[in-house]
Amino acid sequence: MIEKEILDYRLDKLIFSQNMLSAWKRSKKEFIDKYIRHIFWSDDSQLDRDYEQNMSYGRDFHLMCQRIFLGIDPIRSTSDYDKDLDRVKKIYRLYKNRYGQDVIFLPEHRIELKDRIQATYDLLVRVYENGELIRLDIWDWKTERKKIEKNYAENKMQTRVYMYVCKESIGSDLDYENIRMYYYQPAIDRQVMVDYSEDRHATNRNIIYSIIGEIRNLKLEDLREEV
């Protein structure tokens, strides 16, 4: 059993990512096992092996996308995702052709707010005009083939956290409508755009801090109930 001092210490050291907040909403037991008890396991089932294979594919693909936006040619292979990478390269070329030197790419970029709310972006695109930031685009690469619907994208915890953190940091001086998020599925060449507004920002703030408040109020008896 975890002692109160250890629980308080671990709660105090938490960094609130979209994965953590999603885990809390999905299952308190899952959250406590993973982030408080630090329990990780693999059942070595076929489902588990398939999951690990998909995760490995996703990590490799994201690494190749990072190379594209750093101006480094991705390593070519005989894998299925070479065509997908060509589609991501097209996004790179469209920005460069339109904005030239007035666009800055930040692949795999991490931002942490003072309240320990953290987002790690697959890609942030900063667009300038006469040296002034005028637009921020958030891109997230999704390797699954199941079509992501707009309503689902708008209400994802990932969307809420990523757009909130972006506006509260490097986008603080931008109008809300100049911040957008794109989910891109290169395997089916589909993108879903989520625009932003002051109302959405307020809603996102309330949801994020409400969950953080619940987490920070964890008590020892809550851990016993979730055994």
Side-chain angles (χ1 to χ4, degrees):
M1 176 60 65
I2 293 177
E3 297 178 355
K4 183 179 185 307
E5 292 76 12
I6 296 176
L7 173 61
D8 291 344
Y9 175 82
R10 291 181 180 175
L11 289 174
D12 185 59
K13 296 300 181 182
L14 289 178
I15 296 175
F16 299 100
S17 67
Q18 59 99 1
N19 284 331
M20 179 184 289
L21 301 182
S22 295
W24 176 266
K25 294 296 291 182
R26 183 169 57 248
S27 167
K28 303 298 189 295
K29 183 179 187 306
E30 175 189 338
F31 174 90
I32 290 170
D33 283 348
K34 184 173 183 180
Y35 296 104
I36 303 301
R37 293 193 174 103
H38 297 167
I39 298 173
F40 301 88
W41 69 90
S42 169
D43 62 12
D44 202 33
S45 65
Q46 185 60 48
L47 182 63
D48 187 69
R49 290 193 293 270
D50 290 343
Y51 173 79
E52 289 298 328
Q53 184 177 357
N54 290 336
M55 286 294 291
S56 177
Y57 175 90
R59 285 191 295 268
D60 290 345
F61 183 80
H62 280 66
L63 176 61
M64 294 299 100
C65 291
Q66 180 183 17
R67 291 174 64 95
I68 289 171
F69 288 94
L70 288 174
I72 305 170
D73 281 338
I75 301 168
R76 305 303 294 183
S77 69
T78 58
S79 69
D80 294 336
Y81 59 56
D82 281 348
K83 182 185 293 185
D84 299 348
L85 289 174
D86 287 338
R87 288 171 173 160
V88 174
K89 278 186 174 181
K90 184 179 178 180
I91 295 171
Y92 173 86
R93 291 194 300 269
L94 287 171
Y95 276 110
K96 294 298 290 184
N97 291 339
R98 181 170 181 180
Y99 299 108
Q101 298 303 310
D102 290 328
V103 62
I104 295 177
F105 301 113
L106 301 173
E108 298 300 321
H109 188 69
R110 179 173 296 171
I111 300 174
E112 184 176 325
L113 302 181
K114 61 181 180 180
D115 291 330
R116 303 176 73 87
I117 302 168
Q118 185 184 92
T120 303
Y121 301 90
D122 289 348
L123 177 67
L124 271 179
V125 182
R126 303 171 67 165
V127 180
Y128 291 83
E129 186 176 273
N130 299 321
E132 180 180 347
L133 182 67
I134 62 168
R135 177 175 154 191
L136 274 170
D137 291 345
I138 303 166
W139 286 85
D140 195 78
W141 320 121
K142 296 299 185 188
T143 55
E144 64 265 30
R145 293 177 175 271
K146 183 180 179 180
K147 185 187 297 184
I148 295 174
E149 300 296 341
K150 187 175 181 67
N151 183 64
Y152 172 76
E154 289 175 340
N155 292 288
K156 277 173 63 69
M157 186 62 68
Q158 181 179 10
T159 306
R160 297 188 188 282
V161 172
Y162 280 24
M163 299 193 82
Y164 177 79
V165 169
C166 191
K167 175 59 180 169
E168 289 291 308
S169 54
I170 60 177
S172 59
D173 294 330
L174 283 178
D175 292 337
Y176 293 94
E177 59 266 25
N178 292 329
I179 299 175
R180 287 174 285 190
M181 182 165 180
Y182 297 87
Y183 288 97
Y184 183 57
Q185 298 176 268
I188 57 175
D189 195 20
R190 173 180 169 80
Q191 72 180 35
V192 175
M193 186 193 80
V194 179
D195 53 15
Y196 214 36
S197 68
E198 187 173 1
D199 286 344
R200 281 188 175 174
H201 191 64
T203 297
N204 291 343
R205 179 192 294 113
N206 290 338
I207 290 173
I208 290 167
Y209 277 97
S210 175
I211 298 172
I212 290 174
E214 292 174 6
I215 292 171
R216 284 178 168 160
N217 284 324
L218 262 178
K219 302 292 188 296
L220 285 176
E221 52 266 31
D222 299 322
L223 273 62
R224 298 187 188 103
E225 291 173 2
E226 297 295 339
V227 172

